[in-house]
Amino acid sequence: MKTAKAQLNYARISPQKVRRVADVIRGMPVAAARIQLGVLPQRPAPVLDKLLASAVANAKQQGFSEDALMIHSLTVDQGTVYKRSLPRARGRATPIRKRTSHITLVIREIT
């Protein structure tokens, strides 16, 4: 089984939000996943669509047919967390955690 892979590191979106959209398209054929990502209103949808397009381009470079591709695995891991603070009353500060995601997409040929 031949596979092609695309990876996006340090995406400035929470992994929890990306996982919700990733669960929808995991295991789908590529054409159906592209349509689904075009319709979804969530913020990670265009990010995942661009990553899927990159994986398809990588697969084409390896000689795969675009019609016979499906999403084999899609993992979303937590990246580094940018720590900021927000000023509050009486000289205090509230921490803000800006989370990042590492997204790995593997596609394979349907046999």
Side-chain angles (χ1 to χ4, degrees):
M1 170 173 41
K2 298 186 332 184
T3 62
K5 177 178 163 182
Q7 206 169 8
L8 174 62
N9 290 329
Y10 305 104
R12 262 296 292 127
I13 189 161
S14 165
Q16 182 179 7
K17 294 175 185 176
V18 179
R19 283 184 191 119
R20 274 194 311 211
V21 177
D23 289 341
V24 173
I25 64 166
R26 192 176 284 122
M28 280 185 164
V30 169
R34 296 290 303 265
I35 292 168
Q36 188 71 36
L37 288 172
V39 174
L40 287 173
Q42 284 87 358
R43 190 171 149 232
V47 174
L48 287 174
D49 190 33
K50 192 171 180 181
L51 185 66
L52 184 58
S54 176
V56 169
N58 292 342
K60 282 184 179 177
Q61 281 288 62
Q62 294 179 16
F64 294 153
S65 169
E66 186 176 353
D67 301 332
L69 293 174
M70 73 173 293
I71 297 174
H72 178 63
S73 72
L74 177 55
T75 58
V76 181
D77 300 319
Q78 182 168 335
T80 56
V81 178
Y82 300 142
K83 295 177 181 173
R84 304 288 182 259
S85 60
L86 189 66
R88 290 297 186 187
R90 295 168 50 181
R92 296 183 184 171
T94 299
I96 297 176
R97 299 173 54 119
K98 295 179 180 266
R99 299 174 188 272
T100 62
S101 303
H102 296 321
I103 309 167
T104 306
L105 176 65
V106 179
I107 56 177
R108 68 178 172 92
E109 275 189 317
I110 300 170
T111 53

